[in-house]
Amino acid sequence: LVSLGLYSCGALTRGAAMSELAMRLAEGEQSAWTELYDSTADSLYHYLTALTGESDAATDILQEAFVRLFRSRNRLREVTDLKSFVFTVTRNETNRWLKDRSKRMGPLQLDSESVWRFDESILEHSELVRYALGLVSQQEHEIVHLKIYGEFTFAQIAEILGLPVGTCASRYRRALTKIQATIQEQIG
């Protein structure tokens, strides 16, 4: 397959490579953990920064997610979509962190812009887009982020968030409509 150039093309082949990676992870192969980290860390970090609004928290949560994945590596043999599984574990770690933080700090008093931050390197017109994203619901924002920056399908997003596929698709479209209207209104 490699000599024919088939190994690196197509969703089926990528899926097969991810299944193979999941098996290598389950066996505790060090290079497999490096490969998983290298292929997911950037998108996970941006996702976590968007969810928490804090780069230090994103780094801590990312580390905890990988620790949790390593501790439960035997379960990886049963995983059918490794990327979705990694994002689900990371999202669960984020929820734990947010819950612990709210216990320590009480209710958060943040404006909509500070809740959802993106690095300026990600978005060219970051201030305007950040403002528009701040006007959609938290769940709509998370769906947009997973779809655009995580490059997930609606089926994968539904699995990560525990929602029906149609709900994810309609919330995504609704959020994009709100964002577009806000940007057009601001531009004039």
Side-chain angles (χ1 to χ4, degrees):
L1 285 175
V2 174
S3 63
L4 296 174
L6 298 175
Y7 186 74
S8 63
C9 65
L12 181 60
T13 306
R14 278 192 305 272
M18 291 303 268
S19 291
E20 177 190 325
L21 180 58
M23 293 304 288
R24 292 173 41 220
L25 292 165
E27 293 167 6
E29 185 181 314
Q30 181 60 42
S31 64
W33 289 99
T34 303
E35 189 177 331
L36 178 65
Y37 184 85
D38 289 347
S39 67
T40 61
D42 284 342
S43 56
L44 286 169
Y45 175 80
H46 291 298
Y47 173 69
L48 290 166
T49 303
L51 287 176
T52 65
E54 299 178 24
S55 102
D56 288 342
T59 302
D60 291 345
I61 295 166
L62 182 59
Q63 180 178 343
E64 281 302 313
F66 270 83
V67 167
R68 188 167 296 275
L69 283 165
F70 183 77
R71 286 182 181 153
S72 61
R73 64 188 173 277
N74 290 330
R75 291 184 46 214
L76 294 173
R77 295 180 203 286
E78 304 159 16
V79 171
T80 57
D81 186 337
L82 183 59
K83 185 178 177 185
S84 291
F85 184 76
V86 170
F87 267 80
T88 300
V89 168
T90 303
R91 183 173 190 267
N92 292 341
E93 281 302 312
T94 304
N95 289 338
R96 277 187 203 86
W97 181 85
L98 290 169
K99 185 178 178 182
D100 290 346
R101 178 175 144 180
S102 69
K103 285 179 184 176
R104 288 188 315 270
M105 301 177 71
L108 295 175
Q109 301 294 323
L110 299 174
D111 60 53
S112 60
E113 284 188 47
S114 63
V115 174
W116 299 109
R117 265 186 273 199
F118 282 89
D119 293 340
E120 291 197 25
S121 63
I122 299 173
L123 302 170
E124 210 163 90
H125 303 287
S126 62
E127 290 301 314
L128 183 55
V129 173
R130 190 177 310 148
Y131 171 75
L133 281 168
L135 298 177
V136 300
S137 74
Q138 180 176 340
Q139 192 167 70
E140 288 170 336
H141 185 280
E142 189 172 8
I143 290 169
V144 168
H145 190 80
L146 287 168
K147 182 71 174 157
I148 294 173
Y149 303 108
E151 299 179 358
F152 284 103
T153 65
F154 288 120
Q156 291 171 317
I157 294 169
E159 183 180 333
I160 292 167
L161 300 179
L163 296 170
V165 175
T167 300
C168 292
S170 65
R171 289 182 184 168
Y172 175 77
R173 283 189 294 277
R174 182 175 49 218
L176 290 184
T177 300
K178 288 179 191 175
I179 292 166
Q180 182 181 18
T182 301
I183 291 172
Q184 285 177 344
E185 181 182 297
Q186 295 297 317
I187 291 175

